[in-house]
């Protein structure tokens, strides 16, 4: 049987060849897209209106801080940041109870830097000689973990307290 090498057969071969090349190109592009997506970092949104030391805060920091707070702080400061009862009155030991970290307390009156120093080094780090039941967490938590806890606490405050505390932090010269 003679092979038909006429125009119709060449046209069909060209169409098939173009289809194969197009399929290979689409496959390559799809594979490249999957690889790029697999290698890209997931989006971690910033929390609107929340900063720490003037830097934006990511949602993942707040989430991590919530768990770290539950594990390290809630036993004294309360699961809902409510502090110990009668927190403004000295205990029989002469020390102060754990204050609330919600908007009813005074945590939001202090700068980020001071809150970080108190958490890392204990109250004595900012008020030498002051005796407190709060331990220094500098040997148990990393700086990033302390920051996450503070970010979580700040995330629970109403806008008014956040804005006030952000201004206090911005005006803190470190002295």
């Amino acid at each position: 049987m003679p092979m038909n090498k006429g125009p119709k057969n060449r046209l069909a071969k060209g169409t098939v060849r173009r289809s194969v090349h197009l399929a290979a190109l689409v496959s390559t592009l799809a594979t490249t897209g999957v690889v790029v997506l697999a290698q890209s970092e997931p989006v971690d949104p910033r929390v609107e209106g929340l900063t720490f030391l003037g830097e934006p805060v990511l949602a993942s920091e707040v989430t991590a801080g919530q768990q770290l707070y539950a594990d390290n702080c809630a036993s004294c400061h309360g699961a809902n940041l409510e502090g110990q009862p009668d927190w403004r009155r000295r205990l029989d030991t002469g020390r102060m109870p754990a204050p609330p970290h919600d908007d009813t307390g005074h945590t939001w009156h202090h700068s980020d830097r001071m809150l970080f120093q108190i958490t890392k080094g204990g109250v004595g780090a900012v008020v030498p000689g002051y005796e407190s039941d709060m331990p220094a967490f500098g040997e148990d938590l990393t700086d990033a973990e302390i920051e996450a806890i503070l970010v979580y606490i700040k995330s629970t405050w109403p806008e008014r307290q956040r804005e006030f505390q952000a201004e206090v932090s911005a005006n803190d010269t470190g002295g």
Side-chain angles (χ1 to χ4, degrees), residues 5-22:
K5 295 187 178 185
K8 282 187 177 181
N9 195 22
R10 274 189 238 128
L11 182 60
K13 284 182 181 178
T15 301
V16 169
R17 199 173 292 136
R18 277 190 291 273
S19 294
V20 168
H21 286 133
L22 182 59

Side-chain angles (χ1 to χ4, degrees), residues 6-121:
K8 282 187 177 181
N9 195 22
R10 274 189 238 128
L11 182 60
K13 284 182 181 178
T15 301
V16 169
R17 199 173 292 136
R18 277 190 291 273
S19 294
V20 168
H21 286 133
L22 182 59
L25 177 63
V26 167
S27 176
T28 300
L29 289 174
T31 302
T32 302
V34 168
V35 168
V36 167
L37 283 175
Q39 292 177 348
S40 66
E41 293 293 319
V43 175
D44 190 0
R46 291 180 175 175
V47 179
E48 187 68 30
L50 187 59
T51 61
F52 188 80
L53 295 173
E55 296 297 320
V57 170
L58 301 177
S60 62
E61 291 175 282
V62 174
T63 302
Q66 184 174 14
Q67 185 60 54
L68 287 162
Y69 176 88
D71 295 343
N72 296 281
C73 312
S75 61
C76 293
H77 291 281
N80 297 311
L81 298 98
E82 72 275 12
Q84 292 178 329
D86 212 10
W87 64 274
R88 291 186 173 134
R89 185 168 309 183
R90 291 197 180 277
L91 301 169
D92 291 341
T93 62
R95 296 178 179 187
M96 297 298 290
H101 288 311
D102 62 13
D103 62 327
T104 68
H106 60 82
T107 307
W108 55 275
H109 292 101
H110 303 295
S111 70
D112 291 341
R113 183 189 57 79
M114 181 177 283
L115 294 172
F116 184 87
Q117 287 177 322
I118 291 170
T119 308
K120 185 171 182 164

Side-chain angles (χ1 to χ4, degrees), residues 159-172:
E159 185 177 346
R160 179 178 166 269
Q161 281 77 3
R162 279 193 201 183
E163 288 175 356
F164 179 90
Q165 197 271 341
E167 188 173 330
V168 169
S169 291
N171 292 325
D172 183 4

